[in-house]
Amino acid sequence: MSTVAARCARCGRPVEPGEHLCAQCRDEAPVRVMGRAQAPPESELDERQRRWPPGMVKPSPVQYHATVMVTVVLVLVGLALFAFLHHRGVGPFDASHVRAHRTATSSVVVTFSVTNQGSHTARSTCHITALDGSGSTVADESVLTPAVAPGSTIHVSHVLPIVMAAAARFRARCT
């Protein structure tokens, strides 16, 4: 390990380790101040290196990257844990008894039952699909149900706007 001789910050004379000014400069003696003009930094890295105190150990780029990586992993683990604790016991939801009837305005009112088979009260997103005779989709909409208590069933009615072709059957799937 090489040692660097410490120099006075004002005049450049050698000083003891840990000191910044020589005895003459500390006594405010009239001495010629020695300095040099600093060239403008060429890059952001040069600017940072110039501000870093001499003699202080600089962290390696691996330390920077490892710190960021560990932080990202901890945040992802935290989000996964939150999602697991917040969503366990929700659902599955079962849609049954799908019925439909046409209104005077060429709309269709679809009514179905939703059962919460989970252990927590939750809302379900149900996808209602109108199918024609060949099984092609005529209309498709999503509906958010009111809160369903665990083990209970609610009835949902939703109006599908104008259905262009005659729908032969309707299907509801809830998640």
Side-chain angles (χ1 to χ4, degrees):
M1 180 176 192
S2 67
T3 58
V4 177
R7 299 263 180 204
C8 177
R10 283 191 181 165
C11 65
R13 289 189 182 107
V15 294
E16 295 295 319
E19 291 187 13
H20 300 286
L21 297 173
C22 67
Q24 282 184 325
C25 292
R26 276 196 304 264
D27 293 336
E28 305 269 339
V31 294
R32 187 174 64 84
V33 176
M34 193 170 129
R36 58 182 168 188
Q38 292 183 349
E42 295 162 10
S43 69
E44 185 181 345
L45 182 60
D46 292 336
E47 173 71 21
R48 280 194 240 151
Q49 286 177 345
R50 193 167 49 84
R51 287 183 296 182
W52 200 268
M56 182 182 263
V57 178
K58 296 179 180 91
S60 73
V62 172
Q63 287 172 315
Y64 287 127
H65 289 92
T67 302
V68 170
M69 185 182 70
V70 166
T71 303
V72 168
V73 167
L74 288 177
V75 166
L76 290 175
V77 167
L79 285 172
L81 183 65
F82 173 77
F84 173 75
L85 293 175
H86 187 67
H87 288 87
R88 69 178 173 176
V90 173
F93 296 93
D94 181 39
S96 59
H97 303 97
V98 180
R99 292 185 290 290
H101 67 277
R102 294 195 183 279
T103 63
T105 61
S106 300
S107 301
V108 176
V109 177
V110 179
T111 307
F112 56 96
S113 300
V114 178
T115 304
N116 182 355
Q117 299 172 353
S119 60
H120 286 86
T121 300
R123 298 171 71 170
S124 172
T125 302
C126 296
H127 300 281
I128 303 167
T129 307
L131 303 168
D132 64 8
S134 65
S136 298
T137 301
V138 176
D140 186 28
E141 284 197 19
S142 296
V143 141
L144 183 62
T145 67
V148 185
S152 65
T153 301
I154 63 166
H155 301 286
V156 178
S157 291
H158 182 70
V159 178
L160 286 175
I162 301 170
V163 177
M164 297 299 185
R169 61 190 167 114
F170 294 86
R171 178 176 65 201
R173 290 179 292 120
C174 297
T175 55

